[in-house]
Amino acid sequence: MCSADGSGYQLDVAVVAAESSSRDGHSYAPVPSSVRSARELVRETLRLHGLEAGVAQVLVSELAANAVRHARTEFTVGISVGDVVRIEVGDGELTLEGLQIAPDKFGLRLVDAFADRWGVDLVPTGKRVWCELDAGRLAALPVTSSRAARVTESARR
């Protein structure tokens, strides 16, 4: 998805016009604490489907942080779970600002490295950055007594 040139890395991504998605469900203010809320949404949704959310949480964190940092508009997070887990972060920015893979930045380099597929859809109200993971990669963690204790302890906080 990225190609090297003389000045670093440049994002090569197909941008398509798309209709609004019915998956756009949870709206967030463009503040840093919203990134954590988006991560919690993904973690809880995948937990309900018996899937480990680690990689998906990294991906939604990067996409939500880009929305906060670059779009500075309210943003939405949608997630669908089936054979493929699809995470979409939509914002009100009509440009592709912040969507470069740069050698000195980790954000989209992580998305490019960890997602099975990702891209950008332009919608009438802005853009939607999405990524997909094959659900088989998100195998459920075995529940052991030590893991259950950690989960219980973190739930108390």
Side-chain angles (χ1 to χ4, degrees):
M1 282 206 170
C2 59
S3 60
D5 63 20
S7 63
Y9 287 89
Q10 182 67 33
L11 173 66
D12 295 329
V13 64
V15 178
V16 297
E19 297 298 318
S20 294
S21 170
S22 60
R23 285 176 239 194
D24 293 347
H26 295 81
S27 295
Y28 300 96
V31 295
S33 62
S34 293
V35 175
R36 179 183 34 191
S37 297
R39 208 171 32 246
E40 290 169 358
L41 168 70
V42 167
R43 181 182 62 242
E44 290 304 310
T45 301
L46 292 178
R47 184 186 65 77
L48 290 173
H49 286 85
L51 298 173
E52 179 9 73
V55 173
Q57 288 182 108
V58 170
L59 295 172
V60 77
S61 292
E62 294 303 330
L63 298 181
N66 272 353
V68 169
R69 186 178 306 115
H70 299 291
R72 298 181 190 99
T73 67
E74 182 176 289
F75 66 96
T76 58
V77 175
I79 180 170
S80 61
V81 181
D83 291 340
V84 170
V85 173
R86 182 178 174 105
I87 299 167
E88 299 177 348
V89 175
D91 62 51
E93 178 61 47
L94 295 169
T95 70
L96 299 180
E97 179 185 345
L99 289 176
Q100 293 104 18
I101 297 178
D104 61 335
K105 301 205 173 150
F106 286 119
L108 289 178
R109 289 175 60 195
L110 287 173
V111 173
D112 192 55
F114 289 123
D116 292 315
R117 290 161 297 284
W118 72 281
V120 181
D121 296 334
L122 295 179
V123 295
T125 58
K127 70 180 174 300
R128 186 180 320 116
V129 184
W130 56 269
C131 61
E132 294 178 340
L133 293 163
D134 294 329
R137 289 182 54 197
L138 305 175
L141 291 176
V143 176
T144 63
S145 58
S146 63
R147 180 172 178 271
R150 285 194 309 273
V151 170
T152 303
E153 182 60 33
S154 68
R156 288 186 195 142
R157 293 183 203 159

